[in-house]
Amino acid sequence: MSDPIEIVRGDITEQHVDAIVNAANSSLLGGGGVDGAIHRRGGPAILDACRELRATTLPDGLPTGQAVATTAGDLPAEWVIHTVGPVWSSTEDRTELLQNAYRSSLRVARELGVTTVAFPAISAGVYGWPMDDAARVAVSTVRAVLAASIGPVETVRFVLFSDEAYAAFRSAAGE
């Protein structure tokens, strides 16, 4: 069997996959980085769906490490899976929360029945997680989940915007 993990340099908003993962903030109402790009390119349908979630099932926002899906609006994907990664801390090990962001996103992907999912480098931007460690956690967690689960997800593509992130993820994947 071929490796279900792909590492590409590019723009996650341009990926033709079933679902893209948004490194969201807990408010789900947009932000900077990947989150802002997804909301801008996806159009108002994504924000409308997020507002509906906040008005109904997530009045306090999405907790760190959890995931929820919305429409992808004008994006080429069908779904956006929003997850909140932890802010990196030099004094507290938050690795489990970062792993949970990937695990929860893949659980939602399975529930949606999607076969292809694109991830950014969760928590490695404004949340300050060191890129090499973020890549190691991401790749090892996704590999473990895919190896242990039976379900529709066949391909996980990490889409990295910077050369640094691309190199770190290639290294973590053993490429």
Side-chain angles (χ1 to χ4, degrees):
M1 186 176 128
S2 64
D3 192 347
I5 293 178
E6 300 174 350
I7 314 272
V8 300
R9 171 97 165 66
D11 181 343
I12 198 164
T13 67
E14 297 175 354
Q15 299 301 304
H16 290 266
V17 293
D18 298 325
I20 63 171
V21 176
N22 180 16
N25 61 57
S26 64
S27 79
L28 295 177
L29 302 179
V34 169
D35 191 19
I38 287 171
H39 277 270
R40 280 190 303 278
R41 287 284 302 272
I46 297 173
L47 184 56
D48 290 347
C50 288
R51 284 186 174 135
E52 178 65 21
L53 286 168
R54 289 298 309 274
T56 56
T57 58
L58 296 169
D60 298 324
L62 184 64
T64 301
Q66 299 302 306
V68 65
T70 66
T71 178
D74 297 330
L75 295 168
E78 184 176 354
W79 301 97
V80 173
I81 299 171
H82 306 267
T83 191
V84 181
V87 173
W88 185 78
S89 169
S90 62
T91 59
E92 178 185 351
D93 184 3
R94 297 179 178 168
T95 303
E96 183 74 19
L97 288 169
L98 184 55
Q99 291 170 326
N100 285 343
Y102 286 99
R103 288 183 193 121
S104 297
S105 296
L106 289 170
R107 178 187 47 75
V108 170
R110 273 196 314 276
E111 291 169 359
L112 294 171
V114 304
T115 60
T116 54
V117 182
F119 278 94
I122 297 170
S123 290
V126 70
Y127 283 12
W129 207 283
M131 189 59 72
D132 288 341
D133 193 53
R136 179 191 60 77
V137 171
V139 171
S140 64
T141 302
V142 167
R143 278 206 172 122
V145 170
L146 292 178
S149 58
I150 297 171
V153 178
E154 296 171 2
T155 304
V156 171
R157 181 179 304 154
F158 289 103
V159 182
L160 297 314
F161 197 71
S162 72
D163 291 336
E164 175 200 8
Y166 178 68
F169 273 75
R170 282 185 54 106
S171 178
E175 294 183 6

